[in-house]
Amino acid sequence: MEFKTLLTSVAIVAFSAGVVSAQEDATLAIEGETILTSAAAPAFADNLDTVYSGWLFRKLETRALQMDDFDNPAFVFVDQGIDLFEKVDGSEGKACASCHEDVEDFAGLRPSMPRVEDGTLVTMENLVNDCRTERMGAEPWKYTGGKMTAVTALIGLQSRGMTVDVAVDGNAAPFFERGKELYYQRVGQLDMSCSNCHEDNYGTMIRADHLSQGQINGFPTYRLKNAKLNSAHARFKGCMKNIRATPFKVGGDEFKALELYLKLRISSSNIKTKSATK
Amino acid sequence: MKNIFMITAVSVLSVTIAFAETAPSDVTFNDGAVMASLVGAPGDAAAGRNTFKNRKQGNCLACHMNDDMPAEQFHGEVGPPLSGVGSRWEEAELRGIVSNAKMMFDGTIMPAFYVDSGYERPLKKFDGKSILTAQQVEDVVAYLLTLKD
């Protein structure tokens, strides 16, 4: 079963009580296009039968915001992304658009990230900064900063509705294993793992928050709480601080591995036939 | 003269013993329960009620519903509702559950509130500390005991 998702900057997270359960029948249609919000979980996710989009766990008002690009506050930042994409910067006198004439050509990129290149795990942020430093002669952007999230949101948006398709070939296996280990490792003074909240207890309220499965396909995500786009690594960091753990470095090996693992959990690929699960 | 000295010394010593707190690493569990008060005296239920709901202290409401606090918004659902919990459990069991719930419920998500080591990567400012003090644990236990059916 495919899991077509709200890839990109269209996801919104609200922090107020929701009565909605993940199991409820709800259809997410954005600009007339229906987007799948649940699918069978991959075989390696031992404790999950079904993966659910974070959208299902949001309040009805918040869900509605996400169904209309005009109402969706994330699009203010996508517009900033368009400007940044076209802006010349750096010693080579180039903009992103100098090499990538049409941003729509990036359709299909987000669903395949992160990916392994020459033995290293590469994220979308890495690709953007590689272009800036190596091809434009410009300063790298801050990994979770506003310019980075605006442009990664713009690039991600080109793949909206496409199926997540992260490769799980042999090269990715060690990163997958590391990500899995981190997902189940208890940390912090509160001594909890990601799985304690997002696998064992999704669908329940934790104080004012309706716990979702912590899916990352919608990232970078606009959060009503801080009124900006938030990258996946910034979200991981926030969750770790909440359990009073010293977060791993944004853009570092641990969070990149975690990102790959989480992306795979919503991947439609027939995981069993690939080597990563062994 | 000598005698008076001796007596004073002994009585100071006994006062100290009576009020010595049990350090987190010295707490002993019997089937998940902790028999003796951590501070050598009963806790204060009213203070415990505040510790229970305070987000920076117990934040118990994050995971447990509590009928005794209808004015508080947002009761969590991760753990069982605590209404009537004082009728279901003995004082020693409640002390054990609050101090380190993992000793009562294997692999539980509920944090151990009176443990100051053994956890990984704590934020620096919490390193070597327990979430609650011995007094706060006793206060919460005293409060839980007031939640009768």
Side-chain angles (χ1 to χ4, degrees), chain A:
Chain A
M1 195 185 195
E2 288 192 342
F3 188 31
K4 281 173 98 193
T5 59
L6 45 154
L7 281 162
T8 74
S9 64
V10 293
I12 302 176
V13 185
F15 282 77
S16 39
V19 285
V20 197
S21 83
Q23 285 69 27
E24 186 184 315
D25 239 2
T27 308
L28 171 58
I30 305 176
E31 304 295 304
E33 193 192 350
T34 303
I35 298 203
L36 267 192
T37 50
S38 66
F44 73 79
D46 300 331
N47 311 315
L48 282 187
D49 295 332
T50 310
V51 287
Y52 295 106
S53 162
W55 181 78
L56 288 166
F57 298 82
R58 305 286 88 95
K59 288 200 305 179
L60 294 175
E61 301 92 282
T62 314
R63 289 191 193 180
L65 278 182
Q66 205 165 299
M67 295 170 85
D68 185 331
D69 289 353
F70 189 75
D71 291 340
N72 186 336
F75 279 80
V76 172
F77 299 95
V78 172
D79 284 346
Q80 290 174 9
I82 295 172
D83 292 342
L84 287 164
F85 198 82
E86 287 164 358
K87 192 174 162 217
V88 172
D89 195 11
S91 59
E92 306 304 302
K94 286 181 182 152
C96 312
S98 314
C99 296
H100 310 280
E101 234 167 88
D102 193 346
V103 73
E104 285 178 26
D105 293 344
F106 284 126
L109 180 61
R110 178 92 251 178
S112 69
M113 300 300 291
R115 68 183 182 212
V116 180
E117 288 177 15
D118 302 329
T120 35
L121 189 55
V122 175
T123 62
M124 184 80 91
E125 288 85 348
N126 294 148
L127 293 182
V128 169
N129 269 343
D130 283 354
C131 274
R132 287 186 57 80
T133 55
E134 287 164 28
R135 298 180 190 93
M136 295 165 68
E139 288 294 313
W141 280 330
K142 189 166 168 268
Y143 198 90
T144 56
K147 289 178 173 152
M148 183 61 91
T149 50
V151 167
T152 54
L154 172 69
I155 293 173
L157 181 61
Q158 311 312 315
S159 306
R160 180 158 71 187
M162 292 176 74
T163 302
V164 173
D165 187 18
V166 197
V168 211
D169 56 22
N171 288 340
F175 301 104
F176 168 87
E177 294 297 343
R178 179 75 179 122
K180 182 172 182 180
E181 190 180 289
L182 291 165
Y183 188 77
Y184 289 103
Q185 184 183 74
R186 286 185 183 244
V187 290
Q189 192 193 36
L190 270 56
D191 200 30
M192 292 180 191
S193 62
C194 313
S195 64
N196 282 155
C197 287
H198 294 296
E199 193 169 271
D200 304 339
N201 286 293
Y202 69 85
T204 65
M205 297 299 293
I206 188 161
R207 204 103 192 203
D209 292 332
H210 196 197
L211 277 174
S212 73
Q213 290 181 340
Q215 305 293 10
I216 57 164
N217 50 310
F219 279 79
T221 286
Y222 181 84
R223 249 180 109 178
L224 297 171
K225 191 173 177 177
N226 62 11
K228 61 173 185 156
L229 290 178
N230 297 264
S231 67
H233 290 200
R235 180 74 242 199
F236 301 167
K237 183 176 167 181
C239 281
M240 286 188 79
K241 286 177 99 168
N242 283 343
I243 51 174
R244 300 184 174 180
T246 303
F248 295 109
K249 200 170 159 287
V250 296
D253 291 344
E254 292 87 359
F255 277 171
K256 289 205 279 188
L258 206 43
E259 182 182 339
L260 175 75
Y261 179 70
L262 288 177
K263 204 68 182 291
L264 280 166
R265 284 164 73 97
I266 46 173
S267 166
S268 69
S269 16
N270 184 359
I271 306 287
K272 267 187 295 194
T273 66
K274 312 252 171 113
S275 59
T277 48
K278 281 175 261 161

Side-chain angles (χ1 to χ4, degrees), chain B residues 18-93:
Chain B
F19 289 93
E21 267 184 25
T22 309
S25 51
D26 293 336
V27 180
T28 43
F29 291 83
N30 288 310
D31 292 330
V34 176
M35 300 307 168
S37 165
L38 303 176
V39 296
D44 172 350
R49 193 173 189 276
N50 284 325
T51 303
F52 184 98
K53 65 184 181 191
N54 186 310
R55 285 166 203 262
K56 295 224 145 73
Q57 296 174 7
N59 199 14
C60 313
L61 221 41
C63 295
H64 294 285
M65 272 187 260
N66 183 355
D67 288 341
D68 180 47
M69 300 185 168
E72 288 293 315
Q73 269 188 302
F74 308 131
H75 296 210
E77 307 167 336
V78 173
L82 292 186
S83 313
V85 78
S87 305
R88 288 198 292 281
W89 297 92
E90 302 290 328
E91 178 184 326
E93 292 170 326

